[in-house]
Amino acid sequence: MTKYLNKISILAIMALFIGSLLATSVAQAADKIRMGSRNTNLDVVLLESGLAKKYGIDIEVVRIKTGIEMAEALIGGGIDVGIVGGAPLVSAITRTKKIVLVGSAWTTDGGYAKVLVRKDSPIKSIDDLKGKKIANKIGSGSYRALGDWCDKNNCKVSDFQILNTSPASIIAALESKSVDAGIWFAPTTSIAVHKGIARILMDFKGANLGAATWSARKEWATKNKDVLSRFMAATVDAQELILKDSRKGAELLSTGLKKLGRDLPVPVLEMGINDFYYEHGMLDGKLIKAYSQVFDAFKARGKLRGSKPDFTKFMDASYYEAGLKIRK
């Protein structure tokens, strides 16, 4: 009888142990997030800081080139969450209800978007670029910044030959002299200047109110509220790290970019890291105003059709609010 009971006890312990392993495995799988990353400052700082792990989140990085592709990846289910700029986001939500906006990543007045020309270029002002080739991603936030700046400064986007170019190819296009200028933002602009390929001609400060938003696949977010809330806590930590210590943010950015084959000194990266304001939360009237401006600008240029969406229907601040309560 004693031997029989011992066997039962051993079997029970083994069953509990196996059950525990299975439960742990399930929990780990549930805590994984597929995050789209365009290697922007906030993406990289979040990844390199390890802040997500503090909240039990395992980030699976999906490399994406542009905000337009980020929105498409959310719609298609290729990622769970990612930062989408105002222009690609507004374009996406005029076509789908599969995206939910969960928190602000950063805001800008347009000054983040910079015009690059070759270091030895004779071009002295944006007027000198009229009729010339400019590398830029059509439909991006920097493309919108150019248009909005022109609306206030007596020019038109059609004054320039805009070549639809991926961000990764803008520097190469300048270096090969296949374009006369490029328009993008840090760290791409920092890389071009650091390598001696280009100089900054100007920026579009004051052009518009811009915003990039943490956006999630709605179906996934609804089923994984706890996971997404913990992820949002980590993003707020990353935003505050950059705001409070730009040098530390630049150090993390430098480390992350080095892993991607971009070896840039910390001081160079620090110059561009504050081109954005890393304001978290902000699912409010300011964000709606930014999206409304995007919609109006692109509709006027024939880039969007239909009526303006009710942006509030795409916003859900509950993930961000829950994240604030569990921040460590």
Side-chain angles (χ1 to χ4, degrees):
M1 176 65 77
T2 302
K3 290 182 178 180
Y4 175 76
L5 288 173
N6 286 340
K7 286 182 180 180
I8 294 295
S9 299
I10 292 170
L11 288 172
I13 291 169
M14 289 180 65
L16 286 170
F17 178 69
I18 293 170
S20 176
L21 287 177
L22 288 172
T24 301
S25 176
V26 170
Q28 288 176 341
D31 291 349
K32 183 173 294 240
I33 286 183
R34 294 175 301 162
M35 186 189 86
S37 172
R38 293 188 291 142
N39 304 324
T40 61
N41 295 343
L42 185 54
D43 291 346
V44 178
V45 169
L46 175 63
L47 292 169
E48 289 302 315
S49 64
L51 289 167
K53 293 181 179 178
K54 182 173 74 170
Y55 296 97
I57 300 296
D58 180 15
I59 297 177
E60 178 185 335
V61 182
V62 180
R63 302 292 177 188
I64 292 176
K65 293 180 180 179
T66 68
I68 296 168
E69 292 165 348
M70 187 79 76
E72 293 302 325
L74 284 168
I75 294 170
I79 60 174
D80 303 316
V81 67
I83 298 173
V84 188
L89 185 60
V90 170
S91 176
I93 61 181
T94 59
R95 299 179 286 111
T96 183
K97 295 181 179 179
K98 293 183 178 181
I99 296 175
V100 59
L101 316 184
V102 294
S104 175
W106 64 72
T107 57
T108 172
D109 64 356
Y112 77 102
K114 303 180 189 299
V115 181
L116 291 170
V117 295
R118 288 188 299 277
K119 192 173 181 180
D120 59 354
S121 172
I123 291 169
K124 295 180 180 179
S125 74
I126 194 168
D127 287 335
D128 297 335
L129 287 171
K130 290 182 178 179
K132 298 190 182 299
K133 296 176 181 177
I134 299 177
N136 185 229
K137 186 66 178 177
I138 294 175
S140 67
S142 59
Y143 177 80
R144 177 201 165 207
L146 168 64
D148 288 352
W149 188 89
C150 275
D151 288 344
K152 297 178 179 179
N153 291 276
N154 301 315
C155 65
K156 297 179 292 185
V157 173
S158 58
D159 291 338
F160 314 97
Q161 293 186 54
I162 305 296
L163 301 186
N164 195 21
T165 310
S166 70
S169 301
I170 290 175
I171 295 176
L174 282 165
E175 193 170 22
S176 67
K177 299 184 178 181
S178 60
V179 298
D180 300 286
I183 299 176
W184 206 245
F185 51 88
T188 296
T189 48
S190 301
I191 293 169
V193 172
H194 173 65
K195 288 186 173 182
I197 295 167
R199 59 182 170 85
I200 295 173
L201 179 70
M202 62 171 291
D203 62 37
F204 296 121
K205 185 176 179 62
N208 56 38
L209 172 63
T213 308
W214 282 108
S215 306
R217 188 162 53 88
K218 188 172 183 178
E219 182 182 7
W220 175 86
T222 302
K223 294 177 180 177
N224 295 275
K225 181 159 188 175
D226 174 65
V227 179
L228 183 53
S229 297
R230 284 185 278 130
F231 176 79
M232 290 308 298
T235 69
V236 173
D237 285 358
Q239 288 168 312
E240 293 202 349
L241 186 157
I242 297 172
L243 284 170
K244 292 177 179 179
D245 191 345
S246 60
R247 171 52 66 106
K248 178 64 175 176
E251 289 171 353
L252 291 168
L253 184 58
S254 179
T255 299
L257 292 176
K258 190 174 292 185
K259 293 176 182 177
L260 299 170
R262 301 174 181 177
D263 193 358
L264 290 170
V266 170
V268 172
L269 294 171
E270 192 175 8
M271 286 189 296
I273 202 167
N274 287 321
D275 286 347
F276 304 95
Y277 182 62
Y278 298 94
E279 183 177 11
H280 51 77
M282 209 192 79
L283 291 180
D284 56 18
K286 186 177 179 182
L287 202 57
I288 293 170
K289 181 180 178 181
Y291 294 151
S292 294
Q293 288 180 359
V294 171
F295 183 89
D296 293 341
F298 276 79
K299 180 115 185 230
R301 296 178 194 126
K303 300 298 180 182
L304 290 176
R305 296 179 181 178
S307 56
K308 186 181 298 184
D310 181 353
F311 298 115
T312 61
K313 291 183 178 180
F314 293 87
M315 298 178 177
D316 187 344
S318 63
Y319 303 98
Y320 162 74
E321 291 167 354
L324 286 185
K325 292 178 181 178
I326 60 172
R327 284 184 69 210
K328 300 176 182 178

